[in-house]
Amino acid sequence: MGKKIVIIEDDNILQDTLKKFLSTKGYEVSGAINGEDGVELVKKENPNLLLLDIVLPKKDGFGVIKDLKADESTKNIPIVLLTNLGNLDDVQKALDLGATTYLIKADYKLEEIVQKIEETLN
Amino acid sequence: MRRIIRRIVDDFNIKKQANELGVKVWQAPSVLFILMGVVIVTAMTAIYFISRNNYSPEILIFSEIAVVAVLFTIGSFIIKSIEEVARANKMKSEFISITSHQLKTPLTEVNWEIEFLLSQHGKLLNQEQKDIIKTITNSNTKIIKLVNDLLDVVRIEQGRFILTEEKMDIVKVVEEVIEENKFLAKSSNIEIKFIKPDFVPEIIADRRRMKVVIDNFVSNAIKYIKSKGHIEISVDAKNDEIMVCVKDNGIGIPRSQHDIIFQKFFRSDNAAKYQTEGTGLGLYIAKNIIDQSGGKIWFKSVEEEGSAFYFSLPIKRNNPNNK
């Protein structure tokens, strides 16, 4: 069985394309479009990795990281930030909160995202 | 001398100035300053005559008050017009910043969808169809680059241009840039040669931004070679620094413009004539990136013969930030 990935991304098209692409690479992918649902989904799925947007409705990426890091069962899940690098301060803040690494959506090809996921999983 | 005269003429060309600043003619700072000067001189003369003909201190005080009131009014207009210009400038930066961000998501969608389409159904497409899709992807990537440039310029202007630090292999970045520009170079009949060194140590820098600088050098070289040219890229490591050079046999830069090529929106006369595409932002951003990374950026160029662009970066050893 493939490794599980959860995507929290509010842009439907981006989320959908990522989900489809990652599925073809053998991952088991599920997604949420806001922070609150996202945290619930992570707790339910207990994925091997989380792809997380920073700007999100209901609860932003920072809130999601805080919630997950505070919970014993989810605190070790690696988090890859999906950002468009509006502000590097935000990325740094998220990394300080415990995110593993980040990638810039507009500059990454899907294939490169898979590489980044594999690097992070290993 | 000619420059000084031009400067003076420009200072008095009030209509042009007002147009450039986007304010009404009477709001242009020079108009208000001239007006203020006229008021001061008139007031002084008037006071002189009044005080000579009348010995009444009341009249003197009243005329002084009147003059001060007029000067305050003009002064407040000056402040207001400066404020308006500053506000407009801030709004412009915010506008660019917001629209650029809004553009990024749909542009990413296009690139990802195309990549997904190719990965799933690429085999069903013939070469012509694949080439069309490649062109669409290239154009879209060009827009993303432009949007990134605009965002960087706004950040530089606002003093919020922050670079990250990570371990990186500059040779690998050069190879990526060559790979990404291969298609464009081939279609312009340009050969890219990379003189790879035996060993180059890893450096600590902002990988994405270093790629922006190298890509800027290479895409400029491609853009400004008329046809059938060659580009030579070399990477050297010595004396605790690495140096990257991108040399072309393109149209070169006129001697008279060598001092200003790193300025924002600068495009050389011959470049603008020859190639209409280009914003004049690339080298300005590149210089900011290299300066902020503690490196040096420079060039040699002869018109009609070609240009060589260089940058060097310190190899930071035993850096406490090494990750």
Side-chain angles (χ1 to χ4, degrees), chain B residues 32-44:
Chain B
L32 293 169
F33 274 114
I34 293 168
L35 187 63
M36 201 148 138
V38 170
V39 169
I40 291 172
V41 171
T42 321
M44 296 295 251

Side-chain angles (χ1 to χ4, degrees), chain B residues 170-238:
Chain B
I170 198 96
V171 171
K172 211 166 161 219
V173 175
V174 171
E175 283 171 338
E176 280 173 26
V177 171
I178 295 174
E179 182 59 35
E180 282 163 26
N181 282 284
K182 218 167 60 184
F183 188 75
L184 195 63
K186 207 176 147 198
S187 62
S188 315
N189 248 324
I190 293 164
E191 192 198 348
I192 303 181
K193 201 167 127 195
F194 180 26
I195 305 168
K196 229 191 310 192
D198 296 334
F199 170 74
V200 173
E202 281 191 323
I203 56 165
I204 292 153
D206 187 326
R207 190 179 195 282
R208 191 175 75 96
R209 256 53 181 266
M210 285 308 135
K211 198 168 163 184
V212 167
V213 176
I214 299 169
D215 181 74
N216 177 260
F217 284 5
V218 174
S219 54
N220 272 351
I222 295 175
K223 216 185 290 172
Y224 299 122
I225 288 176
K226 277 180 184 152
S227 66
K228 265 196 172 174
H230 49 83
I231 297 168
E232 197 182 284
I233 306 172
S234 57
V235 176
D236 262 321
K238 54 183 156 202

